[in-house]
Amino acid sequence: GAEESTLMSYFSKNQIQALKPKITFSTLRDLQCPVLQSKDLQGKPEESCSTEELFEWLGAVLNQVNLDNKSSSFLSTYCCPEPNTVVEKAFLCTITGFIIPEKIIQLLEQLCCYFGEPKLAHWLTLTVHGFADSPVSWRENEHGFHKGGENLYNFVIFRNLDYWLQMAVGAHDDCPP
């Protein structure tokens, strides 16, 4: 009612507008992917990679780091952890903008539905990055963005619907509950 009208008036007077999230899709071809087993968080030599190895690899993929381990560019000599497998096509969807928790849960539920039909993929991920200067913090403590600003979490969902939840917070932030 009246409160909504006052709020809308404030936004229009100050030229504040709502922006829709930006969505981009890309296909990664012949991507080396770590072999993962949902029950092996630590990984097993020559059988599966650990959660830490996956997290590092995923960061490289999301930041478009060349994974061929050649030193010609001198930017990175990183390569996919062992054991790995080559995936002919991997799909990457990036949504940039302010996304409310309910939408993230909805995305997670839709990703779980992906395995409802027989698929070739053994696992998939959903990574959520917070803004470096986000006012949101864990446990009602001020976010330490002046000293770091890391805040992200990643779900790794397996075909059998087991999942891993990986979180990264800055050194000056509290861990989530």
Side-chain angles (χ1 to χ4, degrees), residues 41-164:
L41 298 174
Q42 304 303 317
K44 290 185 180 170
E46 299 181 27
E47 287 183 33
S48 64
C49 296
S50 70
T51 58
E52 291 88 1
E53 290 172 314
L54 169 75
F55 201 62
E56 184 175 41
W57 171 85
L58 191 58
V61 170
L62 295 176
N63 286 293
Q64 301 174 354
V65 170
N66 189 349
L67 303 175
D68 62 9
N69 200 25
K70 293 180 185 172
S71 61
S72 60
S73 69
F74 293 99
L75 292 177
S76 172
T77 57
Y78 181 79
C79 61
C80 185
E82 294 285 338
N84 60 54
T85 184
V86 176
V87 174
E88 185 180 324
K89 283 195 260 185
F91 298 102
L92 178 62
C93 174
T94 304
I95 304 172
T96 306
F98 184 77
I99 304 166
I100 60 174
E102 292 80 10
K103 290 293 183 188
I104 294 169
I105 292 168
Q106 188 178 20
L107 280 169
L108 189 58
E109 288 170 349
Q110 289 297 311
L111 288 172
C112 289
C113 290
Y114 173 82
F115 292 117
E117 297 176 23
K119 303 286 188 211
L120 295 176
H122 294 274
W123 52 269
L124 52 84
T125 67
L126 171 66
T127 303
V128 179
H129 288 265
F131 295 104
D133 61 351
S134 173
V136 177
S137 64
W138 302 108
R139 295 192 181 149
E140 301 176 13
N141 290 323
E142 184 177 342
H143 179 51
F145 74 91
H146 293 293
K147 301 170 184 143
E150 302 83 0
N151 59 21
L152 66 98
Y153 57 93
N154 180 58
F155 282 97
V156 182
I157 306 155
F158 294 91
R159 190 184 289 171
N160 64 0
L161 297 184
D162 282 353
Y163 69 92
W164 296 344

